[in-house]
Amino acid sequence: MVEVKLHDIGEGMTEADINCYLVKPGDFVKADDPLVEVQTDKMTAEIPAPRSGVIKELLLTPGQTVKVGTTLLIMEDSSGGSKTVELQKVAEAVNSEAPQADAAVVVLDRPAEVKVPVGVSARLGRILASPYTRKVARENAVNIMEVKGTGPAGRITEEDILAFVKLRDHGGASTSEAGSEQQVPNISKYASEQEVPNVSQRASESKAPNVSEVGSEVKTAAGHETVGKSQDILPFRGRRKQIAKKMVQSIYTIPHCTHFEEIDVSELIALREEIKASGNSISATAFFIKALSIGLKEFPVFNAKLDEENESIQLLREHHIGIAVDTPEGLIVPVIRNVEQKNLKQIHDEMKRLTKLALDDKLTVQDISGGTFTISNVGPLGGSIGATPIIQHPQTALVSFHKTKKRPVATDQDEIVIRSIMNLSMAFDHRVADGATAVAFTNRFAQLIENPKLMLLELM
Amino acid sequence: MKTAVQTKTLTLVQAITDGLDTMLSESKEVILLGEDIGKNGGVFRATDGLQEKYGEDRVIDTPLSEAGFVGAAIGMAVNGFRPVVEIQFLGFIYPAYEQIMTHASRLRMRTLGHYTVPMVIRAPYGAGVRAPEIHCDSTESLFTHMPGMKVVCPSNAYDAKGLMIAAIEDPDPVLFLEPMRSYRSSRGEVPEGKYTVEIGKGKKLTEGDDVTVIAWGAMVPVAMKAAEDMKQKGINCEVLDLRTLYPIDKDLVIESVQKTGRTVIVHEAHATGGTGSDLISLINDEAFLYQKAPAERVTGYDTPVPYFGFEDHYLPTPKRVAAAIEKVMKF
C-alpha cells in the first residue's frame, strides 16, 4: 500500500487545490503516470505516480484545498507485495534517505515536473477576477487561468465561469482543451436569432441587474425609447458575447464570399423513397454530407486551414464535418469525424446519435471540437432561400442548405416540369479559394445530389 | 424591561430628552452635567425642563471646562453614579480627550475589573446645520480606536431613546453621538416609559440582494433616499443602520455583504481613518470571497468640514451615493 501525498512541488508552497483526479479506483498506473492535478496559487501541476500499481482509493474531492503532507490517494502494488517489502522498495525507489519508520508513507521529495496547461502559458500573470468569481470557480473546480474573460479589461466574470462549466460539463473532458478551443456555434444570422430566447432566460435568472443597461435610455428594435425597463433589454455577455466575439473575429479576419446554387433534389427524394421501401431510412442530410466529402476530396482547398504565420494552407485529409443542431439550449455544432471513411449509413447513424446527444445536452467537448468544415441545414425551419453563413474560423468554408420547394423548371428539351429544388449558400474564405473553384465544388456536389447513383462510384 | 404600549410622536432630540427623563426618574444615581444644560436646557434644548423637574443637584450647570466636568463625571461614575455629560458640540470634546482616552476608557482594565465607568458622553455632531467651524466635526473614529469606549449613534427617535437608556445602564463609558441634522428633521413613534435598543446591534432597514449600503446617524436618510432611487432602476439595496460604531455589529454586516457581494459605505467623516476603512477591513477579513466588486465609500473629504457655504459640497448626497452604487454594480 502506498499513500501518495501532496508534496512541495516548488517555491515552498504549503497548500494546493485539488483540480481533478486523472485516475479512478481500479486503474492501473505506471510509474510517473499523472495521478491528480493540483493547483497552487502560482501554477497547475500534476502529481505523478511514485511507482506502478493499482489505484485503490481517492481520498479527496476536487475543489478541496489541502496542505502539503495530506494524503491524496492510496495505491496498491500490483504484485500485492507485503507492507514490509513495500517499505524498503519504496524507500529505495523514491528517496534513499527516507527514514524507515516513515517509508510506508511515500512523500515524493524530488521536484516534480511542473506542467502548465496547454494554451495557458501566454496568460500566466495577473488573472483579473473578483474574489467572488474566484469563489465560484473554486466551487466548480474550474482552473480560473483557463477561462477567458469577457468583462472590462478582460476580467473574468461569474458568467464566464458558468459558461465554462457548462461547456466542460457537456463532456467532462480536459478543461484546458475546452478553454483553449472555444466552441462557439458558428452559424450566420439565423443562429444568433435562435440564441436570443436562451440569453434572455438566463438574464431573468441572474440576480444582479446590469446597471450599464438598466437606467440608461435604450432604443429598442422597434425604434421607440424605453427608460429603465429591464424586460426590454437583453444582457450582452456570457455565451452571447463569446459568439459575438467569434463572429467578429471571423468576419474581420476572413474575406467572406458567398456563392448561391440551386440543386435539383428530385432524384434524391426518389432514391430515398426506394431505400425507405426496403426498410431503411437515410436522411437527405447524410447524402449531402457524403456528397460534400466526395467533393472535398477533389477540392481539398475547402477542407483546409490557412496558416498565415507560416504562409501555408494546410489541406486536411480528414473530413470532420460539423453539423449545426438547433437545441433548446441554443445552437450547437457537433462534429461527425472522418466522414471520408464512413458510408451513408454510418454517417446517418452518427448524425442521429450526435443530434440526440445535442438535444439531451450531453455532448462532450470531443463531440464539438476539431471540425474542418461545417454545414447548416436550415431547410427544416422553412422560409429562407439564401444566407451569408459566417465561417467558423479557422475553417475555410461553410454550406447552408435551404428549404426544398417544388418549382417549375425548364428542361434541356424546353419543357417545363415540376422539380424539387433546394437552394444552397456556400461561404468561403476568398483568401484561400476563388469563386471558380467554389462553383466547381458546388457543381460537383450538385451533380452527385442530382444523380445520387453516381455516389456508388465512390463506395469504399 | 417594561413593555410600553403607549407611544408618542417625537423628534430625535425630544426622544433623547424623554430617555434622560425616564432614567432620571427611575434612578437617583443618574446625574446630568454640562454647560448651560440646566436653566437654559442645553444648546439644542435636549435637557429642557429637566433641571426644573429634578433639581440643581441632579441636572448640573457646569463651568465651561470640558476636561473638568468629564473628569468629574468619571470620578462620580467610579463612585456609584451614572453621570451623563453634554458636550455642546463634538468638536468641543478635545479638551476632554485626555480624560476620555486615558481614564474613562481604561479604568476597567487598569483596575482589573474592580471599577467600571458607567458614564455617558452626549455629543451633538455633524454638518448640515449651518454651524460655524469646529461645530460640525464628525470625528467619531477618534473614539472607536480606543478599546473601552462604546460609541453609539442613533438615526431616529425610537433608537435615540432606546440607545440612551441602554447607554446609561451600560457599565462602560458610552459616547453618545447625536446627529444634529436629524434632531428635528423627522418625527417617530416613541414608546412611553423604559425600553432599550441593544448597544452593538445594527439594524437592517431594507432588504435587498444587489448591494449593501451601510450608514449611520444623519447619513441614514441619505442612504435610504439613494436606495429608493436605485429601486426604480431595478437595483435592490440592503440598507444597514449601524447604530453602534464600537463594537460594530459584525454579524449583521457580514451576513448582508456575503449575500449581496457589493458594499457602499456612507459616512460624513473624513475618508482617511474613517469607520468606513474599518468596515472594509472587516469585509476583507470575513467576506473576501463573496466580493463581486471593491467596496465603495462615500464620505466627507479629507479637509476640515468647510464653512457653511460649502457644507453641502462636503456632505455625501443621495446622488453621490447613487453613483457609488452604480459603480459597484457596473464593476
Side-chain angles (χ1 to χ4, degrees):
Chain A
M1 206 98 84
V2 180
E3 284 185 41
V4 179
K5 297 195 168 195
L6 178 67
H7 54 280
D8 182 354
I9 48 179
E11 302 200 35
M13 56 167 271
T14 55
E15 60 175 25
D17 294 351
I18 306 301
N19 275 356
C20 59
Y21 278 103
L22 305 166
V23 292
K24 53 185 190 306
D27 282 358
F28 174 80
V29 292
K30 295 200 293 282
D32 288 323
D33 278 357
L35 298 175
V36 53
E37 187 185 272
V38 299
Q39 186 187 348
T40 73
D41 48 3
K42 294 216 174 96
M43 65 207 167
T44 305
E46 289 172 356
I47 305 288
R51 55 181 301 149
S52 48
V54 175
I55 303 299
K56 187 141 185 281
E57 198 185 348
L58 309 180
L59 297 174
L60 303 166
T61 49
Q64 266 184 285
T65 305
V66 293
K67 298 247 177 270
V68 165
T70 308
T71 305
L72 302 171
L73 56 81
I74 294 173
M75 286 175 63
E76 207 162 29
D77 188 358
S78 49
S79 66
S82 76
K83 199 168 178 177
T84 339
V85 178
E86 189 94 343
L87 273 180
Q88 266 180 322
K89 274 203 254 168
V90 169
E92 283 161 16
V94 177
N95 186 352
S96 55
E97 308 219 337
Q100 288 289 306
D102 277 347
V105 171
V106 176
V107 179
L108 283 177
D109 267 353
R110 64 200 167 83
E113 289 168 47
V114 175
K115 200 179 134 197
V116 176
V118 186
V120 173
S121 52
R123 298 184 58 230
L124 278 178
R126 297 306 255 181
I127 302 290
L128 296 181
S130 77
Y132 180 70
T133 307
R134 290 172 192 272
K135 178 169 176 275
V136 173
R138 231 174 261 186
E139 284 170 355
N140 286 289
V142 168
N143 177 1
I144 203 158
M145 287 167 69
E146 297 173 3
V147 181
K148 205 163 159 36
T150 62
R155 188 189 300 127
I156 297 167
T157 64
E158 184 191 340
E159 286 82 10
D160 293 335
I161 301 285
L162 296 176
F164 184 89
V165 168
K166 203 170 168 195
L167 192 63
R168 180 193 63 188
D169 293 350
H170 262 306
S174 147
T175 48
S176 57
E177 189 183 339
S180 55
E181 196 170 351
Q182 273 286 349
Q183 284 301 315
V184 178
N186 159 21
I187 312 294
S188 61
K189 208 166 139 257
Y190 150 75
S192 341
E193 285 161 10
Q194 287 299 304
E195 277 275 318
V196 169
N198 284 315
V199 176
S200 67
Q201 192 190 347
R202 218 179 354 255
S204 62
E205 284 163 14
S206 157
K207 272 187 190 170
N210 190 334
V211 180
S212 59
E213 292 155 358
V214 184
S216 58
E217 293 190 346
V218 178
K219 280 199 176 176
T220 63
H224 63 275
E225 290 185 349
T226 57
V227 180
K229 282 187 189 163
S230 55
Q231 65 267 32
D232 288 338
I233 297 157
L234 293 172
F236 183 62
R237 58 191 178 207
R239 193 164 171 200
R240 181 76 264 144
K241 205 164 172 181
Q242 281 296 333
I243 291 175
K245 233 173 170 175
K246 274 283 194 183
M247 290 295 155
V248 168
Q249 181 200 14
S250 175
I251 207 80
Y252 278 111
T253 314
I254 303 177
H256 279 63
C257 185
T258 313
H259 148 75
F260 303 96
E261 191 56 86
E262 287 183 339
I263 316 260
D264 183 344
V265 295
S266 311
E267 292 297 323
L268 178 65
I269 291 170
L271 177 64
R272 285 189 61 223
E273 289 302 318
E274 272 179 54
I275 293 172
K276 213 177 219 170
S278 75
N280 287 299
S281 176
I282 303 289
S283 71
T285 314
F287 281 94
F288 297 160
I289 292 170
K290 188 67 201 171
L292 281 171
S293 176
I294 293 165
L296 288 175
K297 272 185 203 162
E298 294 160 32
F299 301 93
V301 77
F302 296 113
N303 196 62
K305 215 158 84 179
L306 174 63
D307 185 349
E308 280 183 286
E309 211 170 297
N310 294 314
E311 299 184 337
S312 67
I313 297 167
Q314 303 168 27
L315 303 179
L316 306 166
R317 288 211 181 94
E318 295 176 315
H319 300 168
H320 299 323
I321 298 194
I323 44 169
V325 179
D326 182 28
T327 75
E329 287 294 308
L331 209 124
I332 192 125
V333 188
V335 175
I336 305 178
R337 312 193 96 76
N338 293 100
V339 167
E340 82 284 359
Q341 292 170 22
K342 287 187 166 67
N343 63 34
L344 279 164
K345 179 128 183 27
Q346 286 169 324
I347 293 170
H348 174 81
D349 290 346
E350 179 67 354
M351 190 170 68
K352 254 180 105 174
R353 184 184 77 85
L354 289 170
T355 310
K356 183 163 186 332
L357 287 178
L359 292 172
D360 293 348
D361 205 15
K362 282 183 182 157
L363 287 169
T364 66
V365 173
Q366 197 64 22
D367 288 332
I368 56 171
S369 57
T372 60
F373 187 96
T374 302
I375 65 159
S376 167
N377 190 3
V378 296
L381 297 158
S384 81
I385 55 164
T388 307
I390 295 177
I391 299 161
Q392 185 158 5
H393 186 272
Q395 296 173 20
T396 307
L398 191 154
V399 167
S400 274
F401 302 110
H402 305 279
K403 190 170 172 54
T404 299
K405 283 181 190 159
K406 287 195 171 175
R407 274 186 241 163
V409 174
T411 66
D412 292 342
Q413 289 76 41
D414 287 349
E415 288 170 352
I416 293 175
V417 293
I418 306 280
R419 304 289 287 176
S420 293
I421 305 293
M422 176 185 77
N423 285 7
L424 166 157
S425 313
M426 175 185 175
F428 62 93
D429 185 342
H430 211 327
R431 295 171 304 178
V432 177
D434 294 326
T437 326
V439 172
F441 174 68
T442 47
N443 280 351
R444 175 63 169 141
F445 174 79
Q447 185 191 28
L448 290 165
I449 294 300
E450 286 174 358
N451 189 359
K453 283 169 189 163
L454 281 180
M455 282 202 229
L456 281 173
L457 303 175
E458 304 291 334
L459 279 186
M460 286 165 294
Chain B
M1 188 183 103
K2 271 190 284 178
T3 309
V5 277
Q6 293 288 331
T7 64
K8 40 193 174 182
T9 309
L10 299 179
T11 61
L12 191 146
V13 70
Q14 286 170 338
I16 288 168
T17 314
D18 197 27
L20 292 170
D21 194 358
T22 304
M23 291 310 283
L24 281 163
S25 70
E26 162 153 323
S27 166
K28 287 208 176 339
E29 283 77 47
V30 176
I31 304 271
L32 311 190
L33 302 101
E35 297 150 358
D36 292 333
I37 64 163
K39 208 167 245 177
N40 202 14
V43 196
F44 293 97
R45 306 288 172 268
T47 52
D48 210 16
L50 296 178
Q51 191 181 56
E52 215 171 295
K53 196 167 170 186
Y54 297 100
E56 289 184 12
D57 294 341
R58 302 274 314 275
V59 180
I60 304 166
D61 273 324
T62 67
L64 197 162
S65 170
E66 280 76 12
F69 63 76
V70 170
I74 292 169
M76 295 170 99
V78 168
N79 285 287
F81 288 96
R82 291 189 174 265
V84 179
V85 303
E86 179 185 289
I87 305 288
Q88 290 194 328
F89 295 87
L90 181 64
F92 297 171
I93 204 170
Y94 310 125
Y97 198 61
E98 196 273 334
Q99 290 293 344
I100 296 167
M101 300 309 262
T102 59
H103 301 291
S105 65
R106 322 175 70 110
L107 263 171
R108 184 201 270 256
M109 190 187 176
R110 191 181 286 158
T111 62
L112 303 179
H114 287 297
Y115 291 98
T116 59
V117 186
M119 68 183 285
V120 177
I121 303 166
R122 292 180 40 238
Y125 87 109
V129 295
R130 306 289 185 257
E133 199 207 346
I134 300 183
H135 294 63
C136 316
D137 282 10
S138 182
T139 49
E140 59 266 32
S141 58
L142 293 179
F143 302 91
T144 56
H145 186 64
M146 179 64 86
M149 281 296 291
K150 290 174 184 169
V151 181
V152 301
C153 180
S155 68
N156 58 65
Y158 179 93
D159 289 351
K161 181 176 172 184
L163 275 173
M164 178 55 77
I165 294 170
I168 293 170
E169 291 192 325
D170 197 279
D172 292 307
V174 176
L175 177 64
F176 194 94
L177 296 168
E178 299 169 8
M180 281 187 268
R181 199 177 159 195
S182 308
Y183 262 156
R184 294 182 170 85
S185 63
S186 66
R187 289 170 180 276
E189 290 298 304
V190 176
E192 285 184 356
K194 197 175 158 190
Y195 69 93
T196 54
V197 168
E198 192 183 343
I199 294 174
K201 291 282 173 207
K203 193 177 181 196
K204 187 189 290 181
L205 301 181
T206 61
E207 283 277 352
D209 289 332
D210 298 325
V211 54
T212 300
V213 182
I214 306 172
W216 53 91
M219 291 299 108
V220 169
V222 174
M224 287 295 282
K225 174 75 174 67
E228 219 166 274
D229 294 346
M230 285 293 111
K231 194 158 197 167
Q232 286 163 14
K233 293 188 175 183
I235 298 167
N236 293 315
C237 301
E238 187 148 296
V239 180
L240 306 184
D241 180 354
L242 213 49
R243 297 200 295 200
T244 297
L245 306 184
Y246 192 94
I248 281 176
D249 189 347
K250 292 181 180 176
D251 292 345
L252 179 77
V253 172
I254 294 308
E255 191 195 326
S256 175
V257 167
Q258 285 188 345
K259 179 171 80 172
T260 63
R262 299 182 177 91
T263 313
V264 171
I265 299 156
V266 189
H267 65 61
E268 59 176 286
H270 315 299
T272 302
T275 300
S277 308
D278 280 342
L279 285 166
I280 290 175
S281 297
L282 171 68
I283 291 165
N284 241 3
D285 291 345
E286 307 282 338
F288 182 74
L289 281 179
Y290 295 82
Q291 295 308 292
K292 297 172 184 170
E296 272 291 308
R297 278 178 296 169
V298 182
T299 68
Y301 300 101
D302 282 352
T303 67
V305 182
Y307 292 117
F308 55 78
F310 295 105
E311 251 181 357
D312 290 344
H313 300 285
Y314 173 87
L315 283 171
T317 57
K319 204 174 158 190
R320 276 174 65 195
V321 177
I325 292 171
E326 294 210 6
K327 191 173 168 192
V328 295
M329 291 302 295
K330 275 183 194 166
F331 177 80

